[in-house]
DNA sequence: TCCGGCTGTGCAATCGATTGCAATAGCCCA
DNA sequence: TGGGCTATTGCAATCGATTGCACAGCCGGA
């Protein structure tokens, strides 16, 4: 009795705040549990139709909204998904992110995106997300051998990788076929008559860097080009400045390449810078191919020939994989591989004009 | 008695899952409330130092992590901030977002970013965020007269605007000084001898579009240019295609402008397209100025002269304003205005060469 | 020696929703 | 007419953390 009175009073005092399931119940003269059932699609069959309708009407009238924190506390699922991004400002990432969030939003999940690098350690960020009770994680940041992978496996947290994969292939992933992309680039150049093709390789501790390099080497070998005619320079980071330095090294070689394949578009822009430094013209002196087809590389001079990867699809596939993992964690880890596409623009031209 | 036994059993069964405050308490032989106090900086002074140390050690040993959902339920604050973005894929937004999230993360908040447009109505998205218990909202999407603003005010939810402002100035905001930016652009062109300057204006229902247009008109008037020499064409959306169409209309006028100021860089790229269509060269036939200095406009041909706005600072300021609002909602709404900067590149040149 | 005050802990209610179990009513069929 | 069913609904525990209140010591001063 006393307790009832008390809670009535406190409810009245908090009248300005959001209505709860109790308010709806009081208005309908039913028990809160009945309201909960009527409003939950899965439990609705337990409630008489007319009562359910009355409850829904009352909920609407009161502007009732489910409190996700309370639900999460009780059910152990938050409806939150964490996304770890290497750098939100990197123009390649937004399309992927948008694919992820669109799919997850449609399924009722919300996503927390955290930018690694600017803030604390990755481990720590993951722990903070776990504290928030995320139901799963999308990692766009993993290196080939990554402690975070183990950390997540230990925490029994559903995790998928996007864009990059781990060396052991333990975790499900959605990524572009890096080797196939390089093959497209190399075969395009070979078809144009290029025999001396350099490669600016990305960081070798991330899968895109390592696999694109491997794809390059396999493709030039298959094309019958000698190793000394297909030099590789590796960078430590996907930046324009790093691409410039690596390209300068390539151009300083005795046998100068007539074409350069960069591991991504940012590096390719750095290659442009290097050509400018050396007073070489693209494409007449050196052809250049990028990778990713990030926004606006069609606007640079010359417009960049590049490998388009299915970024949105990649994000969507990752989201789908994650939801599958959450639904049934026992499934084997699946690796979704998306086909890349060659986009020919102005930065490649037949060798010898 | 019975209940204690029961909970012990259930705890044992859930051994695999995350340790709770109770586990830590049991390990230290203290009451859960003591653990809560020892672990909360604000309440720590109530606990004896040696006990607090023991508790912290035990928490570490067990790998204890606070359950934010439970805390949020009890305290009524989730530590979550919602961010409504017009389009994550728009290259102008990531720097702003990164300014927002960095600052909020540092203060212990997590951010949920939702992309308006792809998913349901904005109202609905806001309601979903409210259901998640967000402590505040950052809106990068508002139009000048926006129902969402009223909706948030009704919900008594702390809200700040970023990049755009509302007509009434009811809500705190962080934005660039749009008029000053246009003045920089116009004065730069006038100094180069241009007398006939066109403007591709952005959507007039958002503040950036309206204020930049107003700034343009005031500046050309102050420079003594006649209205018929300073035509304005308005677009409905900030897209490259819309910029192209508007620029084609400007170029079709009897008195052709020798310079065009676009309301943002995307529109400016559309202006480039239009010049190409008409067989005109930039900058020799027509100079072009953009706005925002989005990534890579220094790489296009010709490199774009534009107005750089302080995007990161804008995001950070918005985050700071929001936290202030959350701390003390009674404060008057403050408007932070950031100074823009003229970045001269290759798309502008003296009139008549 | 007794009392007021101060520290440090424990107790228990509470946030809002979910769900297993119990209870009731109404119904069907023998 | 009675037994067993089913369809609804209520009850109360529970998720994990926080916090007002009560209480037990312990101190110093009168």
């Amino acid at each position: 009795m006393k307790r009832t009175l008390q809670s009535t009073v406190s409810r009245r005092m908090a009248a300005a705040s959001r209505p709860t399931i109790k308010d709806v119940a009081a208005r309908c003269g039913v028990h809160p549990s009945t309201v909960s059932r009527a409003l939950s699609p899965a439990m609705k069959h337990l409630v008489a139709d007319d009562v359910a309708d009355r409850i829904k009407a009352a909920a609407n009238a009161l502007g009732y909204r489910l409190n996700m924190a309370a639900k999460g506390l009780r059910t152990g699922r938050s409806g939150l998904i964490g996304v770890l991004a290497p750098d939100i400002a990197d123009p390649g990432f937004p399309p992927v992110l948008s694919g992820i969030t669109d799919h997850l939003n449609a399924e009722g999940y919300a996503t927390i995106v955290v930018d690694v690098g600017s803030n604390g350690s990755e481990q720590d960020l993951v722990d903070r997300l776990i504290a928030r009770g995320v139901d799963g994680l999308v990692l766009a940041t993993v290196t080939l051998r990554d402690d975070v992978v183990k950390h997540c496996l230990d925490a029994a947290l559903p995790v998928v990788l996007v864009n990059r994969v781990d060396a052991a292939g333990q975790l499900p992933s959605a990524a572009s076929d890096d080797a196939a992309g390089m093959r497209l680039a190399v075969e395009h150049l070979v078809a144009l008559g290029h025999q001396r093709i350099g490669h600016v390789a990305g960081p070798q501790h991330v899968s895109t860097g390592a696999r694109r390099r491997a794809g390059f080497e396999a493709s030039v070998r298959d094309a019958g080009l000698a190793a000394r005619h297909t030099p590789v320079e590796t960078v430590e980071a996907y930046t324009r400045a790093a691409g410039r330095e690596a390209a300068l090294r390539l151009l300083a070689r005795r046998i100068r390449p007539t074409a350069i394949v960069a591991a991504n578009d940012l590096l390719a822009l750095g290659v442009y810078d290097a050509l400018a430094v050396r007073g070489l013209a693209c494409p007449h002196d050196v052809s250049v191919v990028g990778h990713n087809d990030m926004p606006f590389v069609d606007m640079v001079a010359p417009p960049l020939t590049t490998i388009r990867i299915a970024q949105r699809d990649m994000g969507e596939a990752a989201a789908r994989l994650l939801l599958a993992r959450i639904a049934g964690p026992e499934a084997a880890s699946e690796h979704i591989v998306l086909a890349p596409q060659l986009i020919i623009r102005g930065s490649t031209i037949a060798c010898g004009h």
Side-chain angles (χ1 to χ4, degrees), chain A:
Chain A
M1 264 299 94
K2 179 149 162 272
R3 190 184 313 157
T4 305
L5 183 63
Q6 216 172 15
S7 76
T8 304
V9 169
S10 79
R11 195 177 319 133
R12 184 164 309 143
M13 297 191 53
S17 88
R18 259 186 326 140
T20 75
I21 212 169
K22 268 189 205 156
D23 300 316
V24 178
R27 198 172 210 264
C28 292
V30 299
H31 193 270
S33 63
T34 306
V35 176
S36 172
R37 287 190 267 252
L39 263 28
S40 149
M43 294 293 158
K44 188 177 168 322
H45 67 101
L46 292 174
V47 177
D49 286 345
D50 58 329
V51 178
D53 290 344
R54 247 174 53 225
I55 290 176
K56 279 183 194 161
N60 266 328
L62 259 49
Y64 167 77
R65 300 246 106 201
L66 180 57
N67 180 325
M68 294 299 256
K71 176 192 178 120
L73 179 58
R74 178 64 227 254
T75 62
R77 346 195 69 191
S78 61
L80 288 172
I81 302 287
V83 179
L84 288 203
D87 178 12
I88 306 184
D90 182 320
F93 192 64
V96 178
L97 182 58
S98 135
I100 296 173
T101 56
D102 280 4
H103 189 78
L104 291 177
N105 279 348
E107 300 290 329
Y109 286 85
T111 59
I112 297 181
V113 183
V114 299
D115 204 339
V116 183
S118 40
N119 315 295
S121 85
E122 197 168 345
Q123 292 271 344
D124 196 55
L125 290 175
V126 169
D127 278 340
R128 282 173 64 170
L129 287 173
I130 291 179
R132 287 225 129 78
V134 293
D135 294 335
L137 238 40
V138 179
L139 302 181
T141 54
V142 285
T143 54
L144 281 170
R145 294 184 39 71
D146 201 320
D147 292 340
V148 170
V149 168
K150 189 179 169 313
H151 194 63
C152 295
L153 287 173
D154 286 350
L157 191 64
V159 172
V160 303
L161 309 179
V162 69
N163 190 31
R164 303 178 179 179
V165 302
D166 64 317
Q170 291 183 287
L171 294 174
S173 66
S176 182
D177 189 335
D178 290 314
M182 293 310 280
R183 185 165 297 271
L184 289 173
V186 169
E187 287 178 352
H188 167 59
L189 291 170
V190 168
L192 288 173
H194 292 273
Q195 302 282 325
R196 303 199 305 276
I197 306 176
H199 176 41
V200 176
Q204 295 299 299
H205 61 282
V206 306
S207 67
T208 51
R211 295 170 98 125
R212 286 176 190 177
R213 178 190 181 144
F216 171 82
E217 288 170 345
S219 303
V220 292
R221 199 182 326 114
D222 292 352
L225 302 185
R228 70 177 201 289
H229 289 168
T230 55
V232 175
E233 286 287 346
T234 301
V235 303
E236 293 304 317
Y238 282 122
T239 65
R240 188 167 151 187
R244 177 173 172 276
E245 297 313 311
L248 286 174
R249 292 197 299 274
L250 281 179
L251 295 171
R253 300 214 168 208
R254 182 116 45 90
I255 305 178
R256 202 180 72 201
T258 62
I260 294 179
V261 179
N264 86 1
D265 291 340
L266 231 36
L267 295 177
L269 294 181
V271 175
Y272 279 20
D273 293 337
L275 292 174
V277 168
R278 280 274 179 274
L280 296 168
C282 174
H284 288 91
D285 297 319
V286 178
S287 288
V288 176
V289 182
H291 206 124
N292 286 8
D293 192 27
M294 71 181 200
F296 306 112
V297 289
D298 60 322
M299 293 292 293
V300 302
L304 184 66
T305 293
T306 189
I307 304 298
R308 176 177 296 167
I309 66 178
Q311 296 173 300
R312 253 196 91 82
D313 294 345
M314 202 155 82
E316 220 181 289
R320 212 180 2 254
L321 280 179
L322 183 58
L323 294 183
R325 266 274 149 138
I326 290 173
E330 67 291 336
S333 75
E334 194 180 344
H335 299 280
I336 298 204
V337 178
L338 294 111
Q341 186 186 355
L342 174 68
I343 305 293
I344 300 174
R345 298 205 182 93
S347 66
T348 48
I349 201 174
C351 185
H353 327 21

